[in-house]
Amino acid sequence: MTLKFYNTLSRRLEEFRPIVPGKVGLYTCGPTVYNYAHIGNFRCYAFEDILKRTLLFLGYEVKHVMNLTDVDDKTIRGSQEAGLKLNDFTAKFKQAFFADIAVLRLLPADIYPAATEHIGEMIKIVKVLFDRGIAYQAEDRSVYFSIAKWPQYGQLVNIDREQMRSGVRVKLDEYTKDSAADFALWKAWDEADGEVYWDSPWGRGRPGWHLECSAMSSKYLGATFDMHCGGIDNIFPHHEDEIAQSEAANGCKFVNYWLHCAHLVVDGQKMSKSLGNFYTLHDILDKGYSGREVRWVLIGTHYRQSLNFSFQALEDARASLQRIDAFRTRLQENLANPAGDSGQVEEITSKTLDDFAAALSDDLNISAAFAALFEFIREMNRLLDSGCTGSNAARLALDCLEKLDRVLAVCTPDPGEGVPPEITALAEERQAARKSKDYARADALRKEIESQGWLVEDTPKGPRVIRK
Ligand code: AMP
Ligand code: ZN
């Protein structure tokens, strides 16, 4: 089986060959921590999660780095409006981000470097570019990358070189392909920056956004590494500029595979803070949906297709997940039966796992991967209906489901998910009774909960209510 990805750099499907066989260096552009991330952002992080989990599923070792942009125009403005120091302001949104990714079952990165902690590394890159005559300081005291000095500029997107306005400068972090120009590496301090600045050989200032990803990716993954991801809006200028700075400074290829996901859209428009058409994860959880239902929606569309967000999609997710839960419960119930024959189940599970791996290896074909899961459920239900109910068969099938879920991470409910409020209240009352050592009352409450179809399990993390 060949593992293939669509590489934005070559604009075609390519066989994936990591620099060191079996190991992958993965860099994903992280959040700007000036606000809560919206579910459009999480679409991107969910795609990266499926990518990473697929690599792990296929046996690769992955070193994953995700940066936290904790200094830029937006974070500075936000901290000023909140009357807080920059770090105190961004700390809150870093924490919120980590809480959200746990709810969405996104595997944490190995390293989360923050821009403000890597200013020295960024200055070093600018110095090299300066010494090579590729960077220059302009009258506004900011330092710019000269695209005229770097003929390779425009690898990810085709840029009309005739249109390139060398010597014209952009200080903004975001601009369009039509306005490709010399971009800021180091932004000279001005009054709007308040007390946010660092000293450098070019005077007080702060780094440009693109520079941080060049500095932090090479620090943790090396000057050349395997994979770099983000949303398609990152292709230009962010990733183009990262390539230019890194390759001009290090003298070697920056990244071998670039993967970008299409946008999450609402009514045909990209979900974004600036358009105001966004939902944070908590907006959706507050409407009664669970983290895994949101995850289901975010991962369900192939990453290179736009994902049209709707509440109907969340309703559909609920129905599909109930089907999976019912299947898992049915298998668990069979674990208590006598062993029995499991020959056919072995065949089914091994075909399922092969199909699943083949689907994901084909540029993360998630629809085919889900088709393998649903075909598995159908086949197993058929066998169970025809009396194949032994514990061996159930164990094999549960094991297969657990393997598929290493990538999908949707096949087990969240603690408390779907538990009616009155049952949660009884469980809390029972816990209070136990705490005050009123065991007779605690026992009576447990029985009451059981009589309504639920079980209380006492786990090291506290009591958990599950369907009986
Ligand atoms: P930002 O905080 O705006 O830099 O975005 C963080 C990540 O989310 C980037 O990789 C963006 O490409 C991605 N992103 C932003 N909006 C969307 C969207 N509507 N759909 C998918 N990805 C998005
Ligand atoms: Zn980046």
Side-chain angles (χ1 to χ4, degrees):
M1 193 169 10
T2 317
L3 176 58
K4 282 182 287 180
F5 296 116
Y6 182 85
N7 189 349
T8 312
L9 195 59
S10 62
R11 297 166 187 79
R12 59 180 182 83
L13 273 180
E14 275 183 40
E15 182 176 348
F16 178 61
R17 292 172 195 270
I19 298 165
V20 178
K23 297 195 175 183
V24 182
L26 170 68
Y27 187 90
T28 58
C29 288
T32 305
V33 279
Y34 73 109
N35 208 327
Y36 299 100
H38 58 68
I39 57 162
N41 301 130
F42 285 118
R43 197 262 163 129
C44 185
Y45 307 136
F47 136 65
E48 292 158 354
D49 188 61
I50 292 291
L51 168 66
K52 176 175 169 181
R53 285 173 178 272
T54 295
L55 291 166
L56 294 170
F57 180 82
L58 296 175
Y60 291 92
E61 221 176 89
V62 180
K63 182 170 176 187
H64 177 199
V65 180
M66 177 184 262
N67 67 302
L68 301 171
T69 300
D70 60 353
V71 56
D72 76 329
D73 291 341
K74 291 180 275 199
T75 43
I76 293 174
R77 210 181 315 123
S79 68
Q80 289 167 346
E81 279 164 13
L84 290 172
K85 280 197 179 325
L86 183 65
N87 281 352
D88 295 334
F89 175 72
T90 55
K92 172 177 160 192
F93 296 110
K94 286 181 190 171
Q95 284 319 313
F97 176 71
F98 292 132
D100 283 355
I101 64 171
V103 170
L104 290 173
R105 306 178 180 196
L106 307 182
L107 293 179
D110 299 286
I111 308 169
Y112 286 103
T116 51
E117 286 163 18
H118 294 78
I119 305 290
E121 286 86 344
M122 298 183 214
I123 291 178
K124 248 189 229 160
I125 296 181
V126 183
K127 265 192 198 151
V128 175
L129 295 174
F130 211 87
D131 292 346
R132 299 206 168 149
I134 296 169
Y136 64 93
Q137 188 165 27
E139 307 79 59
D140 67 355
R141 299 184 338 282
S142 294
V143 180
Y144 291 87
F145 184 101
S146 165
I147 54 177
K149 298 271 171 59
W150 192 247
Q152 296 91 319
Y153 194 76
Q155 296 187 30
L156 280 179
V157 282
N158 288 319
I159 290 179
D160 181 355
R161 297 200 69 84
E162 298 295 307
Q163 295 287 312
M164 282 195 346
R165 299 166 307 149
S166 132
V168 175
R169 292 183 280 273
V170 272
K171 203 168 169 185
L172 292 175
D173 283 330
E174 299 187 58
Y175 49 91
T176 64
K177 184 155 86 74
D178 309 323
S179 54
D182 294 354
F183 58 90
L185 296 164
W186 185 258
K187 301 186 187 193
W189 179 87
D190 66 32
E191 272 167 27
D193 293 342
E195 57 188 40
V196 179
Y197 61 80
W198 287 265
D199 288 319
S200 83
W202 313 279
R204 280 178 176 185
R206 62 184 163 100
W209 170 42
H210 318 301
L211 188 60
E212 67 173 87
C213 287
S214 285
M216 298 195 282
S217 59
S218 60
K219 171 163 181 180
Y220 296 103
L221 297 172
T224 307
F225 62 93
D226 299 301
M227 285 188 142
H228 195 316
C229 305
I232 43 173
D233 55 316
N234 283 160
I235 297 176
F236 192 91
H238 185 49
H239 290 161
E240 190 67 55
D241 290 354
E242 275 187 46
I243 295 177
Q245 298 157 162
S246 302
E247 299 195 350
N250 298 328
C252 57
K253 189 171 183 190
F254 179 40
V255 172
N256 289 333
Y257 299 87
W258 287 90
L259 273 65
H260 292 100
C261 76
H263 285 146
L264 181 145
V265 299
V266 194
D267 301 326
Q269 266 192 319
K270 175 191 171 191
M271 179 174 282
S272 77
K273 298 240 170 72
S274 52
L275 290 173
N277 61 347
F278 67 92
Y279 293 104
T280 64
L281 178 58
H282 279 269
D283 292 336
I284 308 229
L285 300 181
D286 290 348
K287 290 184 194 292
Y289 296 99
S290 68
R292 74 170 176 144
E293 285 163 353
V294 181
R295 177 178 172 91
W296 179 277
V297 171
L298 295 181
I299 66 174
T301 300
H302 187 261
Y303 76 94
R304 286 195 288 119
Q305 282 170 2
S306 294
L307 163 59
N308 206 346
F309 174 76
S310 69
F311 284 95
Q312 184 55 47
L314 283 166
E315 291 296 322
D316 297 346
R318 181 162 293 181
S320 303
L321 287 168
Q322 275 167 2
R323 214 176 129 209
I324 295 174
D325 290 348
F327 172 63
R328 204 192 54 257
T329 306
R330 192 175 183 196
L331 292 176
Q332 277 162 343
E333 283 166 359
N334 284 308
L335 282 176
N337 294 347
D341 175 31
S342 56
Q344 283 193 65
V345 182
E346 264 167 50
E347 257 172 56
I348 293 173
T349 56
S350 103
K351 180 174 181 330
T352 300
L353 291 169
D354 284 351
D355 290 352
F356 186 72
L360 292 167
S361 299
D362 179 18
D363 194 30
L364 307 178
N365 185 342
I366 196 76
S367 320
F370 272 118
L373 167 69
F374 282 117
E375 179 63 17
F376 167 62
I377 296 178
R378 218 175 357 258
E379 290 274 303
M380 277 309 303
N381 273 331
R382 189 180 52 76
L383 277 189
L384 290 164
D385 291 344
S386 68
C388 173
T389 55
S391 63
N392 279 349
R395 187 159 295 112
L396 272 176
L398 280 168
D399 197 47
C400 176
L401 195 61
E402 188 269 325
K403 285 192 176 122
L404 304 180
D405 209 36
R406 286 184 203 164
V407 178
L408 302 174
V410 288
C411 295
T412 52
D414 287 329
E417 184 184 327
V419 182
E422 58 277 15
I423 299 293
T424 307
L426 287 174
E428 281 166 4
E429 213 182 316
R430 171 183 168 268
Q431 185 60 0
R434 287 179 74 213
K435 277 211 174 119
S436 54
K437 301 204 173 9
D438 184 353
Y439 296 114
R441 171 102 187 109
D443 246 24
L445 284 160
R446 172 196 285 278
K447 289 204 177 103
E448 170 65 25
I449 293 168
E450 283 185 18
S451 74
Q452 298 197 34
W454 299 85
L455 284 177
V456 194
E457 275 186 354
D458 291 309
T459 74
K461 287 188 181 160
R464 192 165 72 108
V465 181
I466 52 169
R467 229 178 270 275
K468 204 165 142 188

